[in-house]
Amino acid sequence: MLDMRPVTADEFETWLSAESRAHGNRLADDPEELRPHFDLDRTVAVFEKGQIVGGSHSRRVEMTVPGASTIISGVCNVSVQPTHTRRGVMTQMMKHQLNDFHDRGEPVSALFSTESIIYGRFGYGIGSLYERWSIERSHTTFSQLKESSGQIRFVDPSDITKDLPEVYRRSTKDRPAMFQREPHHWLRDSQSPEHTLGGPGGLFYISYEEDKQVKGYAAYRTTGATVVINELMAETKEASRALWRFCFDVDRTSTIEALKRPLDDPLPWILADPRRLERSTRDGVWIRLVDVPVALELRRYLQEDSLVLKIEDEICPWNQAVFELQGSSEGATCKPTGSSPDLSLNVRQLASAYTGAVSFSTLASAGFVEEITSGALLRADCMFGSQYKPWSPHNF
């Protein structure tokens, strides 16, 4: 018999240790340093005979959606003890958590999955994708040579909390599925022990400044003959070109790798020989629409129109209905209706279309969306489109 409830203050360290053990690690951090970043009321602990056999946590975090931003439930620290896998512990825990989000009035949840096969059965769909890049330095010539009027400067790690957070915010504010990095994350990165250690492989920060204003930055390290770019954010195309050019031209290196780039990043179009850029795609954040009509009202729509959607949702029965969505760039309404549906789909697929990660037409070609009214797929694609592809380079 399983019991699920939040952990108490006295159980916090045991709960953390169980989570670490489930992922094959021992708890390395001081629980007292971590405690302020956890809301115990938002923890879930699964008990069997008084022992913690599973757990999860959630945070209220800000996420951009097309045309707007909203507070969502960020799911993290999900774990099941190795002694209790494949016994339904995860299923019961996830259902419990989704019901809790609904009771709290939180219409969207999100998580980053260590295994992509796990969360689809709970109604989560891929909400963003990113690319990993690799290119030989000899093939990094730009197709157009343009002089930069700005300057590249090194930023002391202890100073990254000053200008970089605002650059991050301004350069990503229109990106769907973006999470703003919280102040304590910037502070933690600025105080990382690696900055005081000697030897190769340390992390460097550079900024691009124009008219005494920081317009972009990059964080990179060199590993052998490889430059690894952890992050590159730019508010302007001039900043972007200058930062890439700097990273490509680091002496005594032969290869450049970039860890997480958006699917519509302009760099492949800037390169003179884009075929040389090796690209691999991977899922980023996973999204779950906990309350479909409320979630659909949160975002804005590229084209003004209305659609009637039949939604299937076995886990959250309040979503199992037909809804009429009326949306525009100014706002949206979504209500249950008795009208005949234009499209029929599962809540998991709707979550992926919600952020713009995939079009309804692509989902229909994959067999996941049924077009009942002729032309509804194209109308849905136009409504749910966005200027930029969703991107989630930072975990909450």
Side-chain angles (χ1 to χ4, degrees):
M1 187 68 168
L2 299 177
D3 177 40
M4 278 175 281
R5 60 169 174 80
V7 295
T8 65
D10 292 340
E11 295 167 332
F12 178 67
E13 183 173 353
T14 303
W15 177 80
L16 274 182
S17 297
E19 190 261 340
S20 296
R21 184 169 57 243
H23 294 288
N25 305 312
R26 293 188 182 276
L27 183 60
D29 297 307
D30 181 355
E32 294 309 311
E33 291 184 4
L34 297 176
R35 191 183 293 270
H37 306 304
F38 286 83
D39 180 352
L40 296 187
D41 186 53
R42 298 186 68 94
T43 60
V44 178
V46 184
F47 292 87
E48 183 184 66
K49 298 179 180 179
Q51 299 296 312
I52 295 178
V53 299
S56 183
H57 181 243
S58 66
R59 298 185 173 98
R60 285 172 56 83
V61 292
E62 181 183 356
M63 183 184 80
T64 53
V65 295
S69 66
T70 186
I71 300 298
I72 63 103
S73 308
V75 178
C76 47
N77 301 94
V78 180
S79 64
V80 175
Q81 295 299 287
T83 54
H84 285 72
T85 56
R86 296 167 187 83
R87 297 190 190 182
V89 174
M90 176 74 80
T91 298
Q92 292 186 54
M93 180 170 61
M94 297 305 290
K95 288 181 177 179
H96 173 88
Q97 191 174 55
L98 288 170
N99 276 278
D100 179 55
F101 294 157
H102 186 251
D103 292 342
R104 292 173 183 267
E106 299 171 355
V108 180
S109 65
L111 55 80
F112 289 85
S113 178
T114 53
E115 296 180 71
S116 61
I117 199 170
I118 295 176
Y119 294 99
R121 65 182 186 269
F122 307 123
Y124 284 86
I126 294 174
S128 68
L129 298 161
Y130 67 84
E131 291 186 345
R132 295 193 65 161
W133 294 346
S134 179
I135 190 169
E136 296 300 311
R137 184 183 176 193
S138 57
H139 299 303
T140 60
T141 303
F142 288 171
S143 59
Q144 293 179 315
L145 296 179
K146 294 184 178 181
E147 291 294 327
S148 170
S149 59
Q151 290 184 314
I152 298 288
R153 301 183 187 277
F154 278 95
V155 180
D156 190 284
S158 63
D159 292 331
I160 65 172
T161 58
K162 294 179 180 177
D163 296 313
L164 273 52
E166 187 60 20
V167 173
Y168 184 102
R169 186 193 67 80
R170 291 195 300 262
S171 62
T172 61
K173 62 183 177 63
D174 296 324
R175 281 273 181 190
M178 261 286 177
F179 300 94
Q180 291 303 314
R181 187 177 295 157
E182 297 179 28
H184 73 268
H185 287 153
W186 285 102
L187 183 61
R188 179 198 62 196
D189 290 347
S190 73
Q191 298 175 345
S192 174
E194 77 166 306
H195 301 319
T196 60
L197 299 176
L203 189 65
F204 296 96
Y205 294 90
I206 56 171
S207 67
Y208 174 83
E209 297 181 16
E210 204 169 88
D211 298 326
K212 297 183 178 180
Q213 295 205 351
V214 178
K215 296 295 184 179
Y217 71 87
Y220 76 94
R221 69 177 75 246
T222 56
T223 303
T226 301
V227 175
V228 181
I229 301 169
N230 285 23
E231 186 169 285
L232 190 151
M233 295 291 175
E235 296 180 49
T236 65
K237 58 181 179 293
E238 292 80 13
S240 177
R241 289 175 64 95
L243 290 165
W244 282 117
R245 191 68 268 158
F246 176 93
C247 293
F248 288 157
D249 291 341
V250 174
D251 285 338
R252 298 188 299 277
T253 62
S254 58
T255 305
I256 295 89
E257 295 179 358
L259 300 184
K260 291 184 178 182
R261 301 308 305 167
L263 268 59
D264 55 353
D265 194 298
L267 181 71
W269 299 92
I270 296 173
L271 292 171
D273 192 359
R275 184 184 297 179
R276 301 292 187 170
L277 183 66
E278 298 181 12
R279 307 164 71 173
S280 61
T281 306
R282 183 167 176 171
D283 55 284
V285 73
W286 289 65
I287 300 293
R288 213 304 178 179
L289 304 188
V290 179
D291 191 320
V292 165
V294 176
L296 291 176
E297 289 178 349
L298 290 174
R299 58 157 291 172
R300 302 295 179 259
Y301 296 86
L302 197 61
Q303 179 171 297
E304 184 173 358
D305 204 341
S306 63
L307 284 170
V308 179
L309 305 172
K310 181 182 179 181
I311 306 301
E312 300 171 4
D313 191 341
E314 296 179 357
I315 293 180
C316 300
W318 53 85
N319 287 331
Q320 190 110 345
V322 178
F323 300 99
E324 181 177 5
L325 169 67
Q326 294 184 336
S328 71
S329 60
E330 301 299 320
T333 61
C334 188
K335 306 296 181 185
T337 181
S339 301
S340 298
D342 297 315
L343 299 174
S344 177
L345 69 162
N346 187 276
V347 71
R348 174 184 178 182
Q349 278 68 51
L350 181 61
S352 295
Y354 179 77
T355 60
V358 66
S359 70
F360 286 88
S361 293
T362 298
L363 290 170
S365 297
F368 293 119
V369 177
E370 179 186 0
E371 183 182 48
I372 299 169
T373 301
S374 178
L377 283 172
L378 180 57
R379 287 168 48 212
D381 290 346
C382 293
M383 274 190 77
F384 281 75
S386 62
Q387 183 177 7
Y388 299 107
K389 289 290 188 182
W391 185 35
S392 313
H394 175 64
N395 197 329
F396 44 75

